């Protein structure tokens, strides 16, 4: 997708201003992102962390070509976001699983392939592979409502991987889950990342989750949304439950917490 020198994702001085109208007709401008610069290499696991409203989802939506920046430019593997979208270069996992209840697990994972006109044999083979990757091969004939929240989110991860994209965007995918389920899914996601060599850009507002998963953590602050700091996570791999108890884990978590505080707005903002 890209050569060894150029980054996979390049965000160059990107700003995003939403223009809306108040009920009284007054024009409103929200600076959701201001002069963001970020380069992400192939194979990285990047977390975007920050309080609500600091522009995390906006940044993902810009990368995914769901919205276009007010200024600045974005490159994905040497393509524009639009070209990358058309080439199915990435998968997108939303906060809510957004599965169709009347389709089986397998039917849900096959849906994007169906829309793109893949033949049945191809659809089935890909969906089976992806379900195995997230450990749900035994549940392919179940319906989403028969699964737990964590399992549903694994189905949506499998669906996002259906086109075998190199790049995966995940917007607070485990935010609605209980702590234990979330920690288990964190472990699984790390395994999937290591096994597949994908590049993952992951939004969270949990500091432990960001530290545990990431190669680097991008700390964002609100009003206007900007990148405050990028923290390198030098914890060794493979990571496991003991990783969370290591002194280095706490040092990095503290660095992120202080940087969130420095940018203001974290405490009392949620
Ligand atoms: P986060 O994901 O970090 O919580 P968002 O990227 O969703 O933040 O939002 C950043 C800011 O932009 C917030 O102030 C939000 O209210 C505003 N915003 C987001 N989407 C829109 C939109 N479609 N129209 C107007 N304002 C928006
Ligand atoms: Mg968001």
């Amino acid at each position: 997708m890209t050569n060894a020198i150029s980054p996979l994702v390049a965000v160059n001085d990107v700003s995003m201003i939403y223009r809306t109208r108040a009920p009284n007709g007054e024009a409103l401008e929200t600076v959701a992102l201001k002069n963001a610069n970020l380069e992400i290499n192939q194979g990285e696991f990047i977390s975007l962390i920050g309080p609500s409203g600091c522009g995390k989802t906006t940044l993902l939506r810009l990368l995914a070509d769901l919205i276009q920046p007010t200024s600045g430019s974005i490159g994905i593997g040497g393509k524009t976001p639009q070209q990358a979208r058309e080439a199915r270069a990435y998968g997108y996992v939303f906060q809510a699983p957004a599965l169709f209840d009347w389709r089986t697990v397998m039917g849900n994972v096959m849906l994007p392939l169906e829309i793109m006109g893949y033949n049945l044999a191809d659809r089935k083979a890909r969906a089976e592979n992806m379900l195995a990757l997230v450990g749900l091969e035994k549940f392919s004939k179940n319906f989403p409502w028969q699964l737990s929240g964590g399992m549903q989110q694994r189905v949506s991860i499998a669906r996002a991987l259906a086109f075998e994209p190199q790049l995966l965007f995940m917007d607070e995918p485990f935010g609605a889950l209980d702590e234990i389920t979330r920690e288990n899914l964190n472990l699984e996601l790390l395994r999937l990342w290591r096994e597949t060599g994908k590049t993952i850009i992951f939004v969270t507002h949990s500091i432990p989750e960001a530290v545990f998963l990431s190669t680097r953590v991008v700390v964002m602050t609100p009003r206007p949304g900007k990148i405050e700091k990028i923290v390198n996570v030098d914890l060794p791999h493979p990571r496991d439950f003991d990783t969370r108890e290591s002194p280095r884990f706490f040092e990095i978590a503290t660095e992120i917490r202080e940087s969130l505080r420095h940018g203001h707005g974290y405490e009392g903002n949620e």
Side-chain angles (χ1 to χ4, degrees), residues 2 128 165 225 249 256:
T2 182
E128 273 164 10
F249 185 92
I256 293 169

Side-chain angles (χ1 to χ4, degrees), residues 53 56-58 95 171-172 203:
K56 305 181 293 295
T57 296
T58 296
Q95 177 157 9
D171 195 352
E172 301 195 41
V203 170

Side-chain angles (χ1 to χ4, degrees), residues 12 27 31 78 80 117 122 128 130 147 196 200 217 222-223 230-231 260:
N12 307 306
V31 184
T80 65
D122 212 8
E128 273 164 10
M130 296 313 140
L147 308 181
T196 60
I200 299 183
V217 177
R223 287 180 295 276
I230 299 177
V231 176
L260 283 164

Side-chain angles (χ1 to χ4, degrees), residues 8-25:
L8 178 62
V9 175
V11 176
N12 307 306
D13 224 24
V14 165
S15 296
M16 180 71 207
I17 302 171
Y18 291 108
R19 294 194 168 89
T20 49
R21 278 195 185 278
N24 66 6

